[in-house]
Amino acid sequence: MTSPAAADLLAKLRVHGAVPRHVAIIMDGNGRWARERMLPRPLGHRGGMKAVREVVEGAIEAGVEVLSLFAFSQENWQRPAGEVSALMSLLEEYIQKEADELDEQGVQVRMLGELDRLTPPALKAVERVMAQTAHNTKMRLNLFISYGSRAELTRAARLIAEDVAAGRLTPGQVDEAAITSRLFTADCPDPDLLIRTSGEQRISNFLLWQVAYTELFISAVLWPDFGRRELYEAILDYQNRDRRFGRVPA
Ligand code: FPP
């Protein structure tokens, strides 16, 4: 639900400047949120799931075109088995609960990453929601699952090598566009704004190629407490930035 404070911020950012077309978020701090409440870590992730819902709705209302959420990294597979299985179940639950509403809201859901590592039920749920929402155009929601940016770039290099070996591409044709078009995000603009929650100041192997000129916003708020209001504060801050892309001001 939009609080009066969030509604006020939304009204402000609408007149203040351009809304970022693509917002990416590293959702961090679920574990610390749970620890502060003496709860098991999976309950922190459950709190994180609620925040996902709130932020998706907030992004739609603000007019964001693409929202990218880092939900599960390749490194996260090394967490204790109980936590990994809780996260997989939560992913299934999220899809089960939200698929119809996301579809009604016009959201196209895409899951990006090494999906063949998912449990069969999670993979089935992922395929179902992607097929159900494929026709939607209001906002694109990229959920990065089992994702690592170095692995994504390595995969792109391998695909290019295969094309060169097969004679479909010459080495001289390998340019930035050749790499960009072989990334999971090939059909998305680069993120304009990257938000990381919980105060950590790292990129953590997320969209390394794509964030070359992205504006960064570090929020001290732990992800389960992040909502519309915090999203809109980050967008307002972004609107005050002077984006030069390496050039001098006009
Ligand atoms: C980082 O917090 C968060 C994750 C590794 C998982 C993100 C998952 C969710 C937000 C919930 C599930 C989302 C969907 C879409 C189903 P952390 O555990 O690293 O926190 P810590 O650094 O405080 O320990």
Side-chain angles (χ1 to χ4, degrees):
M1 252 209 13
T2 313
S3 67
D8 191 39
L9 287 170
L10 180 59
K12 250 190 216 156
L13 71 85
R14 283 197 173 132
V15 294
H16 195 233
V19 170
R21 288 182 69 197
H22 183 173
V23 176
I25 309 183
I26 301 176
M27 309 182 287
D28 196 10
N30 294 351
R32 275 161 284 169
W33 185 90
R35 197 172 60 223
E36 281 175 4
R37 289 161 181 77
M38 314 249 265
L39 295 170
R41 290 178 61 85
L43 286 187
H45 297 313
R46 184 164 286 282
M49 187 168 81
K50 283 195 196 140
V52 168
R53 184 191 166 100
E54 164 99 5
V55 166
V56 167
E57 287 176 359
I60 296 171
E61 282 167 19
V64 169
E65 289 172 39
V66 184
L67 178 66
S68 286
L69 301 179
F70 200 5
F72 191 87
S73 71
Q74 286 198 328
E75 292 73 27
N76 288 155
W77 289 112
Q78 287 151 34
R79 291 193 175 198
E83 184 169 342
V84 170
S85 93
L87 278 163
M88 286 297 122
S89 305
L90 218 49
L91 176 64
E92 279 176 62
E93 186 181 324
Y94 174 76
I95 294 171
Q96 193 142 11
K97 278 192 182 153
E98 304 288 328
D100 288 347
E101 203 170 323
L102 288 166
D103 194 18
E104 276 159 32
Q105 289 168 322
V107 177
Q108 182 190 126
V109 183
R110 297 282 301 273
M111 306 271 175
L112 311 180
E114 309 273 341
L115 300 181
D116 51 1
R117 291 188 71 183
L118 297 183
T119 57
L123 183 60
K124 213 166 155 204
V126 161
E127 284 168 349
R128 187 171 64 79
V129 70
M130 288 205 287
Q132 182 182 348
T133 62
H135 60 286
N136 290 330
T137 55
K138 175 105 182 149
M139 186 180 82
R140 178 164 166 167
L141 173 62
N142 291 330
L143 278 177
F144 288 79
I145 313 273
S146 186
Y147 172 84
S149 184
R150 286 185 174 182
E152 178 188 35
L153 285 162
T154 305
R155 175 178 170 274
R158 195 180 311 118
L159 293 173
I160 288 173
E162 283 169 7
D163 282 345
V164 171
R168 292 186 289 266
L169 204 63
T170 66
Q173 287 170 324
V174 179
D175 55 9
E176 289 189 10
I179 295 172
T180 300
S181 66
R182 287 166 178 82
L183 300 178
F184 295 129
T185 52
D187 51 353
C188 289
D190 285 341
D192 300 293
L193 172 64
L194 172 65
I195 300 170
R196 180 163 189 154
T197 59
S198 87
E200 303 291 355
Q201 304 184 36
R202 286 188 292 277
I203 304 287
S204 296
N205 202 14
F206 188 46
L207 301 175
L208 299 177
W209 176 273
Q210 297 90 331
V211 299
Y213 285 101
T214 299
E215 296 295 324
L216 306 181
F217 183 88
I218 308 292
S219 166
V221 173
L222 302 177
W223 176 251
D225 290 329
F226 198 90
R228 275 182 172 77
R229 188 183 159 153
E230 290 73 19
L231 173 69
Y232 297 159
E233 279 167 356
I235 293 178
L236 274 166
D237 189 89
Y238 162 87
Q239 290 175 327
N240 287 330
R241 309 279 179 93
D242 176 18
R243 299 188 78 190
R244 292 193 297 275
F245 300 93
R247 298 186 289 263
V248 290

